[in-house]
């Protein structure tokens, strides 16, 4: 019977891997995995921020259906995750790493084993949870003689400054390897989520890349214009004026320094992914294991002079996706857009499990086998930003105007022929031709030449909203 190893990172943009055109970041293990996996060139998240995206990865539902429309909204107990859809007793299951779907450090949703690394979400625990309990990573550090510098737990910054062998990636690899060695003789499902390359954007590999050797994104010199959403312009001004986490972001040199550290975090993850993959080989079950690698969302990392996520630009909504099926020896590329909402039904089908009818995604098998194409839908529900001091960069705006700008719902469709339409509740609509303008520098929405196309794409979004019972009312843009 097939096993599943599901590896994913936090905030890794699609073009950080050689399979996606980046030959400067040293990631030999993931490069090797790409060589005998299906590499999906255009994989999209369902919402470019942590909790909503993770809810989709685990449930096969869009955020507006699962209820996880913003960060730190707990996944309802009655909404099933993948382990709860498996036939009882057929697989031994584990979840190791960042969860961010509520009650962070507590085993839940059908997983048999649970390893946790984040202690900063205790204020979001449901009533009845022990807010003095600690993650298993905390206990690991205490057992090695470390003590938190302040308070009762180790902050992300503290953990990121530890020697590499005591960092979160090394810890997760150690636990994942133990899980595989202990369970290789029976079918298992193991999810491993690395926090990196998510902020704080520093770690033990800070010196691996020289800032002069990294390159700036091709759309670095295309900051948001008046034809693009106010939110993106406010974000860009705030990053320029105030930087991020003590890092100034005014000059090219500032951005190169940050990008160099981000690349180092990507390489850090690759090292420990390699250790996990090698354990599969050592146990003789590599060929029997379905391996998935992806991320919960991307990172602007200088594109349009923006950082992080929470916007609808490609660098935030596109992620790497590689799928190695059992016995697969040769890699292949899939060029049509796909969505992470399709992962749960794909996995269930490959594990020979029944696919529940309530899932909103579809198995990717027809895309893999027959080259079929499909439209992809992305949503934004707000109000997360991750950006501070917006009031300071927009003194001419009222608090209500700023709130509406950053939290207005958006619905997006991306088509196989490269069109992308974003419809905003407050009318900040965007239309891009990703074939001729992959950097999203020209918003074509207001051009009357594309009125009929806007009508067609708007109908696709409205039909999708009807199918998925999306409650958001969008302005009617049809002519």
């Amino acid at each position: 019977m097939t096993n599943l190893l599901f590896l994913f990172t936090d905030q890794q943009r699609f073009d950080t891997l050689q399979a996606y055109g980046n030959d400067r970041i040293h990631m030999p293990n993931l490069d090797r995995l790409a060589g005998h996996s299906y590499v999906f060139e255009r994989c999209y998240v369902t919402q470019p921020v942590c909790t909503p995206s993770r809810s989709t990865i685990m449930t096969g539902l869009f955020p507006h259906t699962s209820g996880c429309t913003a960060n730190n909204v707990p996944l309802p107990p009655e909404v099933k995750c993948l382990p709860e859809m498996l036939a009882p007793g057929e697989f031994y299951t584990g979840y190791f790493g960042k969860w961010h779907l509520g009650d962070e450090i507590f085993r839940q949703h059908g997983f048999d084993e649970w390893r946790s690394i984040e202690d900063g979400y205790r204020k979001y625990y449901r009533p009845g949870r022990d807010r003095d309990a600690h993650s298993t990573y905390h206990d690991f550090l205490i057992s090695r003689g470390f003590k938190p510098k302040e308070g009762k737990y180790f902050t992300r910054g503290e953990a990121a400054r530890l020697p590499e062998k005591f960092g979160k990636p090394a810890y997760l690899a150690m636990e994942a390897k133990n899980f595989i060695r202990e369970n290789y003789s029976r079918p298992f499902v193991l999810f491993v989520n690395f926090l990196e390359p998510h902020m704080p954007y520093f770690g033990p590999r800070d010196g691996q890349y020289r800032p002069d050797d990294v390159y700036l994104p091709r759309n670095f010199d295309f900051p948001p214009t008046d034809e693009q959403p106010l939110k993106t312009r406010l974000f860009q001004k705030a990053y320029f004026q105030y930087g991020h986490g003590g890092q100034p972001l005014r000059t090219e040199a500032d951005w190169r320094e940050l990008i160099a550290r981000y690349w180092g975090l990507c390489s850090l993850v690759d090292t420990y992914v390699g250790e996990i993959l090698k354990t599969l080989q050592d146990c003789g079950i590599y060929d029997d294991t379905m391996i998935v690698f992806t991320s919960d969302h991307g990172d602007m990392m200088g594109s349009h002079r923006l950082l992080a996520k929470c916007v609808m630009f490609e660098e935030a909504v596109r992620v790497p996706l590689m799928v190695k099926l059992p016995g697969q020896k040769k890699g292949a590329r899939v060029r049509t857009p796909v969505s992470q909402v399709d992962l749960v039904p794909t996995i269930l089908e490959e594990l020979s499990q029944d696919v529940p009818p309530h899932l909103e995604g579809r198995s990717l098998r027809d895309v893999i086998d027959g080259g079929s194409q499909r439209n992809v839908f992305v949503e934004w529900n707000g109000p997360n930003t991750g950006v501070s001091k917006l009031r300071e960069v927009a003194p001419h705006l009222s608090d209500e105007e700023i709130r509406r700008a950053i939290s207005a719902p958006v619905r997006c469709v991306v088509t196989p022929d490269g069109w992308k339409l974003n419809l905003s509740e407050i009318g900040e609509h965007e239309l891009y031709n990703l074939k001729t303008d992959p950097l999203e520098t020209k918003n074509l929405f207001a051009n009357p030449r594309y009125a009929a196309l806007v009508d067609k794409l708007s109908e696709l979004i409205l039909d999708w909203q009807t199918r998925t019972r999306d409650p958001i009312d969008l302005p009617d843009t049809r002519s």
Side-chain angles (χ1 to χ4, degrees):
M1 186 175 285
T2 301
N3 308 304
L4 170 69
L5 174 62
F6 193 109
L7 303 165
F8 64 124
T9 55
D10 194 326
Q11 206 156 301
Q12 184 171 354
R13 53 188 279 161
F14 69 95
D15 57 358
T16 50
L17 292 165
Q18 189 176 73
Y20 294 87
N22 191 323
D23 59 0
R24 296 196 189 183
I25 306 181
H26 185 67
M27 290 200 278
N29 298 298
L30 287 169
D31 290 342
R32 192 176 305 113
L33 178 64
H36 40 95
S37 298
Y38 288 98
V39 175
F40 293 82
E41 294 183 358
R42 300 172 64 193
C43 176
Y44 288 83
V45 302
T46 57
Q47 184 169 331
V49 74
C50 297
T51 294
S53 177
R54 289 162 179 269
S55 73
T56 291
I57 289 172
M58 299 308 303
T59 69
L61 303 173
F62 284 97
H64 69 261
T65 303
S66 72
C68 294
T69 55
N71 270 349
N72 302 310
V73 174
L75 183 66
E78 66 272 15
V79 177
K80 290 184 177 181
C81 288
L82 186 141
E84 298 166 293
M85 303 177 203
L86 301 172
E90 285 196 14
F91 295 87
Y92 191 70
T93 60
Y95 190 94
F96 296 180
K98 178 183 173 184
W99 173 245
H100 210 178
L101 289 170
D103 295 344
E104 182 72 21
I105 65 174
F106 302 98
R107 184 174 67 85
Q108 55 190 287
H109 280 285
F111 286 100
D112 297 307
E113 291 196 23
W114 195 270
R115 303 289 185 275
S116 52
I117 61 172
E118 294 289 291
D119 285 288
Y121 295 116
R122 59 187 61 205
K123 68 179 180 180
Y124 301 110
Y125 294 170
R126 291 180 176 91
R129 294 295 194 184
D130 182 0
R131 283 172 165 76
D132 291 324
H134 292 95
S135 68
T136 58
Y137 176 63
H138 173 99
D139 295 339
F140 163 77
L141 292 180
I142 294 295
S143 72
R144 267 57 176 182
F146 294 98
K147 294 182 180 180
K149 293 181 179 179
E150 297 180 10
K152 297 181 179 180
Y153 64 90
F154 298 91
T155 66
R156 283 181 178 173
E158 284 181 76
R161 289 304 189 198
L162 294 174
E164 182 173 321
K165 66 180 180 178
F166 298 112
K168 292 178 180 179
Y171 169 75
L172 288 175
M174 177 188 71
E175 293 290 351
K177 291 188 293 183
N178 289 339
F179 179 95
I180 294 168
R181 292 188 188 110
E182 292 168 3
N183 297 287
Y184 73 90
S185 62
R186 58 176 168 176
F188 65 79
V189 166
L190 176 61
F191 282 77
V192 181
N193 177 241
F194 297 93
L195 172 66
E196 293 79 9
H198 187 283
M199 61 274 289
Y201 294 135
F202 57 75
R205 301 283 184 91
D206 283 355
Q208 183 168 350
Y209 299 97
R210 297 174 58 250
D212 290 344
D213 293 335
V214 307
Y215 55 77
L216 298 171
R218 290 187 297 154
N219 50 5
F220 176 78
D221 285 324
F222 290 92
T225 68
D226 290 344
E227 296 178 346
Q228 292 167 320
L230 173 61
K231 176 170 76 170
T232 62
R233 287 175 271 143
L234 294 176
F235 285 5
Q236 192 273 319
K237 289 178 181 178
Y239 285 128
F240 178 82
Q241 187 68 33
Y242 299 104
H244 181 275
Q247 162 83 32
L249 295 174
R250 287 179 174 264
T251 67
E252 288 192 7
D254 293 336
W255 281 101
R256 288 181 188 276
E257 182 177 334
L258 180 64
I259 293 170
R261 296 203 302 269
Y262 183 79
W263 285 14
L265 293 169
C266 291
S267 289
L268 177 68
V269 168
D270 179 83
T271 295
Y272 294 99
V273 165
E275 290 192 7
I276 298 172
L277 296 179
K278 184 176 183 301
T279 303
L280 291 177
Q281 294 168 336
D282 292 344
C283 291
I285 58 171
Y286 184 84
D287 287 341
D288 301 323
T289 302
M290 178 182 183
I291 302 172
V292 179
F293 176 83
T294 190
S295 190
D296 65 345
H297 51 75
D299 193 310
M300 296 304 292
M301 197 48 60
S303 291
H304 302 285
R305 303 209 178 199
L306 292 168
L307 190 66
K309 59 272 190 180
C310 302
V311 295
M312 302 299 278
F313 287 123
E314 290 287 281
E315 294 82 7
V317 298
R318 275 180 67 186
V319 288
L321 174 61
M322 300 187 296
V323 177
K324 185 199 80 68
L325 298 178
Q328 185 174 351
K329 303 294 186 182
K330 184 178 180 181
R333 303 186 74 83
V334 179
R335 292 181 169 80
T336 192
V338 299
S339 171
Q340 286 186 335
V341 78
D342 300 323
L343 289 176
V344 167
T346 302
I347 291 167
L348 289 172
E349 185 175 282
E350 294 301 325
L351 297 182
S352 300
Q353 300 292 296
D354 293 335
V355 179
H358 75 276
L359 298 185
E360 293 175 329
R362 291 184 294 148
S363 170
L364 294 169
R365 173 53 77 174
D366 64 328
V367 174
I368 292 172
D369 289 343
S372 65
Q373 297 182 328
R374 57 184 67 174
N375 300 307
V376 166
F377 299 92
V378 185
E379 59 187 78
W380 178 258
N381 297 290
N384 307 120
T385 67
V387 184
S388 60
K389 299 186 180 295
L390 295 179
R391 155 61 52 224
E392 287 81 349
V393 299
H396 59 293
L397 298 178
S398 68
D399 289 344
E400 176 60 18
E401 287 173 317
I402 293 176
R403 186 199 66 78
R404 279 173 53 82
I406 64 176
S407 61
V410 179
R411 297 298 184 257
C412 165
V413 62
V414 180
T415 68
D417 56 351
W419 287 103
K420 179 180 182 180
L421 175 67
N422 300 329
L423 294 184
S424 163
E425 188 184 60
I426 58 175
E428 293 183 325
H429 310 310
E430 300 168 273
L431 175 68
Y432 298 103
N433 185 338
L434 298 177
K435 283 191 174 180
T436 61
D437 181 28
L439 306 182
E440 295 174 293
T441 64
K442 298 175 183 178
N443 181 5
L444 303 174
F445 182 84
N447 189 328
R449 175 183 174 187
Y450 301 102
L453 176 64
V454 168
D455 287 353
K456 176 183 175 182
L457 299 179
S458 297
E459 288 287 351
L460 292 176
I461 291 176
L462 292 172
D463 289 346
W464 166 77
Q465 287 188 290
T466 300
R467 291 197 312 273
T468 62
R469 298 179 176 86
D470 181 14
I472 298 300
D473 290 326
L474 297 171
D476 192 344
T477 62
R478 293 167 293 180
S479 57

